[in-house]
Amino acid sequence: MRLSSHLRKALIGAASLCVLAGCAGEQGAGGAVERSGQGSAERPAAKRPASGTDLPVRTGARDVVHTDTDHRSYKVRIAVESLVRGSQQDMRGARVDQALQGKVPHYLTLKVTNTGREEIPSAYMVDSDLVLNGTDWTRGEKVHVSGGGAGREGLPCADDAPTALAPGDSYTTCVTYVLSEGVGVLSLAHYAGGYLNEGGAVATWPVEGGLEAASAGLAEPGDISRVRWDAREDGIVELPATVVSVRRGRPADLAGLGLVRGDNERRGVPYYVTVTYTNPGPGNLYTDQAKHVRLLTGNGRQIPGKTPYTPDAKIPGCPTDWVARMIPPGDSVTECSIHLLTDDSDKPFAVGFAQPGGAGLAIWRAPLH
């Protein structure tokens, strides 16, 4: 069952991986807050890590909307100040979940300002809308540091966000993400309403050279890759698959189909992705692979597809004759998924197939038409 963005954010705040011994206290209690016209605050704000490798992230401020777990929206300005790649050695000195051992920490220093007219309660949740995108289009796992000094001894990055933030006030904090060894950083992104809100507005801070690194080694359109697919009672099977086309459509194409949600998606541009799969047998293959296709963008977004519910839906550029069919062993089928790109500054770059069991994405370069 899929979690809503707000429930997911609540779980992140309550059950995220903690780096401290005794992680039970309030996050960032007593953290530094800069007050407009009042100079410095009670204690120094968080500083960027002194060790590690600076990554060439495009710094600067973006005006965004933070939506809390009670569906209340607040205007904030997020200014990215630095992004530093640490080392696996950093993780060994901290109490972290075993699943994070062997991964590489990345330390993001940012400044948050309340630009609205209302106080933001639980201001430490503002960064829950931020995502660090790897060059394999995976999302970095966030490690929350809170409470007393033990965590500061373990990682050179302290999350000093305050409990509440008054209008006009700011705080500077450092947030830790981890990526697998060998994975670079493509971008940092903020999703209005949480990163599971696919139709929300997105602000991005790209990393120089990240897209070039992501491009290296991608499969080309027409290349056949064996993608892992969960066939339920038949277990995990490998389907020979290849991307056929990525075509730009028009918003009017989807009128009356019930596939578009919210004003942002209504203004979005649909892209139609077609992928051909071959049934390796021994049983029949039911055609529902399209729901695992992702349109991957140059800014690091993974845009899930929408599929028509009936075979007789008339969508220009997106055939529906494959819907609800069974494919016998040895035969092939070409399925179509619809992906809404809501950011004019972003472009399709690749096509991914989400695989089960932690296998990640199988990725092809997008043959854009």
Side-chain angles (χ1 to χ4, degrees):
M1 178 177 178
R2 185 170 185 174
L3 298 175
S4 71
S5 62
H6 302 293
L7 178 57
R8 179 63 179 266
K9 289 201 293 184
L11 293 176
I12 288 173
S16 293
L17 299 172
C18 292
V19 181
L20 310 185
C23 185
E26 280 189 354
Q27 178 168 2
V33 177
E34 300 170 15
R35 306 187 185 281
S36 300
Q38 296 184 22
S40 61
E42 302 154 356
R43 68 184 227 197
K47 297 180 180 179
R48 64 176 300 280
S51 61
T53 303
D54 280 288
L55 300 182
V57 63
R58 186 179 299 170
T59 57
R62 307 280 192 277
D63 289 316
V64 300
V65 174
H66 165 62
T67 305
D68 68 12
T69 55
D70 293 321
H71 305 274
R72 296 171 299 192
S73 296
Y74 303 92
K75 294 181 179 180
V76 298
R77 178 171 298 134
I78 296 178
V80 169
E81 297 185 352
S82 68
L83 181 62
V84 177
R85 178 185 288 123
S87 70
Q88 292 177 331
Q89 290 292 120
D90 297 348
M91 303 298 289
R92 295 174 185 172
R95 296 185 181 183
V96 299
D97 188 278
Q98 190 63 32
L100 298 186
Q101 295 297 338
K103 295 196 174 183
V104 179
H106 293 71
Y107 308 119
L108 171 68
T109 302
L110 67 153
K111 181 178 181 179
V112 176
T113 303
N114 182 355
T115 58
R117 298 180 178 180
E118 299 179 14
E119 181 181 79
I120 303 176
S122 303
Y124 53 82
M125 292 293 290
V126 171
D127 64 41
S128 67
D129 298 337
L130 286 167
V131 174
L132 188 74
N133 299 302
T135 50
D136 58 354
W137 279 274
T138 58
R139 297 181 175 111
E141 296 180 71
K142 187 180 293 182
V143 181
H144 284 273
V145 181
S146 60
R152 301 177 196 279
E153 297 170 5
L155 287 176
C157 182
D159 190 346
D160 282 330
T163 300
L165 192 65
D169 284 0
S170 302
Y171 67 87
T172 300
T173 190
C174 182
V175 183
T176 302
Y177 299 85
V178 292
L179 292 169
S180 296
E181 176 69 20
V183 176
V185 180
L186 180 57
S187 65
L188 177 78
H190 177 277
Y191 289 76
Y195 69 82
L196 294 182
N197 182 4
E198 294 132 9
V202 181
T204 59
W205 293 262
V207 172
E208 183 180 344
L211 195 58
E212 289 78 5
S215 178
L218 291 186
E220 297 294 338
D223 288 350
I224 296 176
S225 297
R226 302 184 70 87
V227 301
R228 291 169 56 86
W229 179 68
D230 188 351
R232 298 171 187 164
E233 63 272 9
D234 294 328
I236 305 297
V237 298
E238 291 188 347
L239 303 178
T242 185
V243 173
V244 177
S245 65
V246 178
R247 297 183 179 277
R248 180 187 172 108
R250 301 177 305 158
D253 297 346
L254 308 183
L257 295 176
L259 297 175
V260 178
R261 297 177 300 173
D263 292 338
N264 213 41
E265 281 199 349
R266 290 188 184 94
R267 293 189 293 267
V269 176
Y271 285 84
Y272 309 126
V273 177
T274 53
V275 181
T276 296
Y277 307 91
T278 300
N279 181 6
N284 290 332
L285 175 70
Y286 183 69
T287 55
D288 63 350
Q289 288 73 47
K291 65 185 179 183
H292 297 279
V293 175
R294 308 287 184 263
L295 185 65
L296 309 178
T297 74
N299 283 346
R301 295 183 65 185
Q302 289 189 36
I303 303 179
K306 301 172 181 287
T307 56
Y309 298 108
T310 60
D312 57 354
K314 303 300 181 184
I315 306 173
C318 193
T320 59
D321 56 352
W322 57 270
V323 177
R325 285 177 51 195
M326 299 295 288
I327 308 301
D331 283 5
S332 299
V333 62
T334 299
E335 299 182 14
C336 181
S337 52
I338 304 164
H339 306 258
L340 282 166
L341 188 54
T342 57
D343 184 354
D344 292 339
S345 67
D346 207 359
K347 301 297 180 186
F349 188 79
V351 174
F353 185 93
Q355 304 177 103
L361 294 170
I363 304 176
W364 295 264
R365 202 179 310 278
L368 186 61
H369 298 287

